[in-house]
Amino acid sequence: MTVKKTYEESITLIIERISHQMPYDLVEQFREFSQLTKADIHPIQGNSAGIVSAIDGSNAIIAESGSFALAAIRAGHTDFFLEERHARAITPITVVSVGPEEESEDFKVLMSDCFGRFPETGLVNNDAERVSAILRDTLEYWIALTQAKTLPEGSLLLLDGALRVTDQNHDSVLQEIIRTSQDRGVLLAAITKRTKATWGGGHPLLPSVAGFVRNAGITGPWWMRIDEHLLDSAVYKRGRQGDLYVASVHPTKHFPLKLELPKGTDKQTVEMIMSSIVACSDDGRIPGYPYPLLDAHRTVVIDQTLTEQIRQDMMRGFSSQGMNREIFDLLFGDIHDDFKRY
């Protein structure tokens, strides 16, 4: 697109690009490309695993200046037993800074506090959102490892996201979470509602699999293993410690999810995990999504109201140090805030 194009032309161009990603014969192309058959679609019977522990975290940028930013992070877990919440724990909200140092000092502190060791490589303060997300991940992995060590055998441990780290310092931690879970007989799965995974040069994976299953005449809960060689992106594959699955876990709601289970998980264990997920995915608010993960998200989310409260607390802290509102605005003010009033 060039600046000479009209608004209407830009819309047409975008629609053409989407049409290329979602051709009319998408499902048939996927069938031929993947060589999958109806035998690769596995039905699921729901059966509770006992305790289901879901882990999630949240991060939010509180304020930004030209040289550094402040962010809030926290994480927590909620445990369900027989469809009722049986335990819940959450870390305190922690305010961290991204900059002005070249590397994050807060990352070193968190890694030491959570895992008793400093990171092998520093976390560069080059992007506030990315850095705050990695700091949040640190808390999530700490809680996940704690749960893997304490949950009874046969429990299901659900992570929000993937069995792949963003920062290499977390790689050994994720390996320990997987190893501990397997050694103690704790079922482990990472789940996400959306995925960047594509095949055949940019075709989205989830709609392709969902259409393939629909054409095969399969209804109700099902799962399918997706071999890594079918995926496009080398970035998507790099550092992954899990095998990829697509599943629909509600009897009537056709809502495919991307799941990752530890690499090499045997079929019997896969069946147990899928069965346990189905048993906790019948909540009427979001049918087809595990309600323990929904509860974990609602527990930890740092929304706009909480973000504003933290900003106000920061301002009060400035005042207690003899710095007035004008100094805060000089550091973190944004003229766009003024624009919103008009």
Side-chain angles (χ1 to χ4, degrees):
M1 185 180 75
T2 69
V3 293
K4 294 181 180 179
K5 288 188 179 296
T6 66
Y7 167 73
E8 290 77 10
E9 288 172 329
S10 71
I11 292 292
T12 300
L13 178 60
I14 293 300
I15 291 174
E16 288 174 353
R17 288 178 182 172
I18 295 173
S19 297
H20 175 72
Q21 295 171 343
M22 298 284 291
Y24 73 93
D25 59 344
L26 173 71
V27 175
E28 180 61 24
Q29 286 189 33
F30 178 70
R31 185 191 65 78
E32 294 180 0
F33 178 85
S34 67
Q35 296 298 300
L36 292 167
T37 69
K38 189 174 181 178
D40 295 303
I41 308 169
H42 303 273
I44 312 172
Q45 297 294 326
N47 184 29
S48 175
I51 292 178
V52 179
S53 180
I55 295 171
D56 200 2
S58 184
N59 60 285
I61 302 300
I62 303 303
E64 289 186 89
S65 74
S67 58
F68 71 104
L70 302 177
I73 60 172
R74 68 176 175 183
H77 72 86
T78 58
D79 300 350
F80 279 74
F81 181 67
L82 299 178
E83 301 184 351
E84 293 188 3
R85 188 191 299 123
H86 139 85
R88 179 164 63 178
I90 187 171
T91 65
I93 292 175
T94 301
V95 178
V96 296
S97 63
V98 183
E101 302 88 358
E102 183 177 345
E103 294 184 350
S104 171
E105 293 298 318
D106 289 301
F107 186 50
K108 299 174 185 177
V109 173
L110 276 179
M111 286 292 291
S112 177
D113 288 349
C114 291
F115 307 112
R117 60 181 180 270
F118 290 109
E120 294 181 5
T121 58
L123 176 59
V124 179
N125 279 322
N126 57 0
D127 182 281
E129 286 287 355
R130 176 179 176 274
V131 171
S132 63
I134 291 172
L135 296 176
R136 176 210 65 211
D137 288 346
T138 306
L139 294 178
E140 289 189 49
Y141 287 134
W142 171 62
I143 294 174
L145 182 57
T146 301
Q147 290 297 91
K149 291 178 177 178
T150 57
L151 286 170
E153 182 179 358
S155 299
L156 174 63
L157 180 58
L158 295 179
L159 310 183
D160 181 75
L163 295 181
R164 177 174 61 89
V165 300
T166 302
D167 185 271
Q168 63 182 13
N169 290 288
H170 290 148
D171 193 65
S172 61
V173 177
L174 180 55
Q175 291 178 18
E176 186 176 359
I177 292 168
I178 293 172
R179 183 173 59 252
T180 302
S181 298
Q182 292 174 330
D183 290 347
R184 300 190 65 254
V186 174
L187 306 175
L188 176 65
I191 299 180
T192 183
K193 299 177 292 300
R194 295 190 296 179
T195 175
K196 296 179 181 179
T198 59
W199 62 273
H203 301 309
L205 178 66
L206 292 186
S208 304
V209 174
F212 175 80
V213 173
R214 186 182 295 110
N215 285 359
I218 303 296
T219 58
W222 52 265
W223 65 269
M224 176 183 288
R225 165 82 185 277
I226 305 297
D227 287 334
E228 191 174 271
H229 76 273
L230 297 177
L231 304 178
D232 284 332
S233 174
V235 174
Y236 184 81
K237 302 172 187 177
R238 190 179 303 127
R240 188 164 302 281
Q241 299 188 30
D243 292 328
L244 191 149
Y245 296 79
V246 175
S248 180
V249 294
H250 191 270
T252 58
K253 180 74 171 180
H254 198 57
F255 182 51
L257 302 171
K258 188 214 75 176
L259 299 88
E260 291 183 20
L261 311 185
K263 283 188 175 181
T265 301
D266 61 83
K267 185 178 179 182
Q268 182 180 3
T269 303
V270 173
E271 295 280 7
M272 292 172 61
I273 292 172
M274 297 297 179
S275 180
S276 300
I277 293 173
V278 166
C280 63
S281 299
D282 58 353
D283 188 286
R285 292 168 294 180
I286 307 183
Y289 185 75
Y291 54 75
L293 277 175
L294 169 63
D295 190 69
H297 170 78
R298 289 167 57 87
T299 298
V300 302
V301 64
I302 302 174
D303 58 16
Q304 186 174 353
T305 300
L306 184 53
T307 298
E308 185 56 34
Q309 177 188 323
I310 298 170
R311 284 176 60 90
Q312 295 299 324
D313 291 339
M314 291 292 301
M315 290 180 189
R316 279 192 290 272
F318 265 60
S319 297
S320 69
Q321 296 296 317
M323 295 181 285
N324 59 28
R325 171 63 184 265
E326 182 179 353
I327 295 177
F328 186 91
D329 287 341
L330 285 173
L331 280 173
F332 302 113
D334 186 346
I335 195 170
H336 292 91
D337 293 336
D338 294 325
F339 289 172
K340 292 175 184 177
R341 295 201 295 265
Y342 298 96

